[in-house]
Amino acid sequence: LADRRAELQRLVEQFAAELLSQAPAETVGLWLCAPFLDPLPLLPALMRYDERRAAAGAAAGSAAGSPPHHGIRYLTRATAAGCRERDVHNYLLLLHARRSADPPLLAFLEGSAPPAGEAGGEVAAEAVGVGALATSGGATHYEPDYALRVCQRHGRRAACVRLYQLRGDCAEAVSLALDSGEVCLAKQSANLLPAGSPLRRRLWLQIARRVLCGRRSDSQYAQLEEAMEGAAAFAAPPGDEALRVRVREAVSLLEECPQLSIDLLLPLFP
């Protein structure tokens, strides 16, 4: 049996590139019927398939309904089946960064790294746990530094924020999330730190500064006002809707982070 599997592996490797160029869906379907195949020697053929697929897509223009990426399809199944080769995981990460939307990329980062415990919808971690999320137990099968470089190169900001979270760099995660306009993601990153952490308080103050002082368009103010309809009215000069919204945002921030105080937020008002 071992000899037959070795011979099949050799034949698959020999004809992989040609078969992928002619019938990628059927070829990957055949590979998936042989879970004992080693995906590592198939990476060169998968790389050539991805290059040809990208070139064909560029030539065809941005037509709707892009066909499935069979390289991602195969490597996803191979890694789920137990492949722990770092090169395989790194290449699958690269494919997701190049070709996938945010949800599959983030799901891959989550699935190939140790889980951060969920508690009441908020990610919770002890101080020592935050710094070890991406390295504990050897459970990260892609290279974290490589993953960060790839996501930065391809402008995948949400993935970069998640990678900063996984490596325990909450300050970078908050800064990048705020630069991307993702305030909720910034709050989530700050909440990774223990409740009594001075850094958590400083990061929440950074979030408050962006929320209260950041520039907003009239339409954004209108959306906030509509979302807060029915809330208690606050004293504000007649017609000063911008200030009214800022006050409501400040109250919301105080409720979300008990470490903040009104004395810290008052200097942020005009």
Side-chain angles (χ1 to χ4, degrees):
L1 181 60
D3 290 342
R4 292 180 62 184
R5 288 185 173 183
E7 178 63 13
L8 181 57
Q9 177 81 38
R10 185 188 67 79
L11 290 173
V12 167
E13 292 175 25
Q14 180 178 351
F15 297 105
E18 182 176 353
L19 289 174
L20 280 175
S21 68
Q22 300 298 323
E26 293 80 2
T27 300
V28 167
L30 179 64
W31 293 358
L32 293 176
C33 293
F36 56 83
L37 289 175
D38 182 2
L40 186 61
L42 302 178
L43 291 186
L46 290 169
M47 292 176 184
R48 290 164 65 182
Y49 160 76
D50 179 64
E51 291 172 357
R52 285 194 298 267
R53 183 180 180 279
S62 56
S66 176
H69 194 296
H70 296 290
I72 293 178
R73 174 187 165 211
Y74 173 66
L75 293 179
T76 298
R77 289 280 295 274
T79 54
C83 174
R84 296 296 181 260
E85 290 285 350
R86 177 153 290 192
D87 287 343
V88 172
H89 282 258
N90 282 348
Y91 185 59
L92 180 53
L93 167 73
L94 176 62
L95 288 179
H96 277 306
R98 284 175 172 172
R99 316 298 181 202
S100 296
D102 276 346
L105 173 57
L106 293 173
F108 172 77
L109 295 177
E110 298 286 350
S112 189
E118 296 285 335
E122 295 291 337
V123 180
E126 295 298 329
V128 67
V130 171
L133 286 176
T135 56
S136 62
T140 303
H141 304 299
Y142 56 83
E143 184 182 352
D145 289 341
Y146 171 79
L148 186 58
R149 291 196 302 272
V150 165
C151 291
Q152 288 173 335
R153 186 186 316 137
H154 290 88
R156 309 307 297 267
R157 290 197 163 196
C160 289
V161 171
R162 188 61 186 129
L163 286 166
Y164 280 129
Q165 291 178 347
L166 289 170
R167 67 195 291 176
D169 197 344
C170 297
E172 285 291 342
V174 168
S175 294
L176 181 57
L178 291 177
D179 288 344
S180 305
E182 298 289 345
V183 175
C184 289
L185 197 53
K187 293 176 180 179
Q188 181 195 71
S189 301
N191 282 339
L192 281 167
L193 294 162
S197 166
L199 177 59
R200 176 170 174 163
R201 180 186 183 187
R202 182 165 63 83
L203 293 179
W204 267 98
L205 187 58
Q206 180 181 346
I207 293 168
R209 185 177 297 111
R210 179 62 63 89
V211 169
L212 299 177
C213 302
R215 293 183 178 178
R216 299 180 187 269
S217 66
D218 292 338
S219 62
Q220 287 174 312
Y221 276 120
Q223 291 171 3
L224 281 170
E225 188 71 23
E226 182 180 351
M228 295 176 182
E229 185 177 357
F234 291 88
D240 194 351
E241 296 301 328
L243 180 57
R244 188 183 299 274
V245 170
R246 284 195 177 98
V247 170
R248 291 177 176 172
E249 289 176 328
V251 172
S252 177
L253 289 166
L254 291 172
E255 292 174 348
E256 290 183 86
C257 182
Q259 284 184 290
L260 293 178
S261 67
I262 190 64
D263 293 339
L264 290 172
L265 299 187
L266 279 178
L268 303 180
F269 284 83

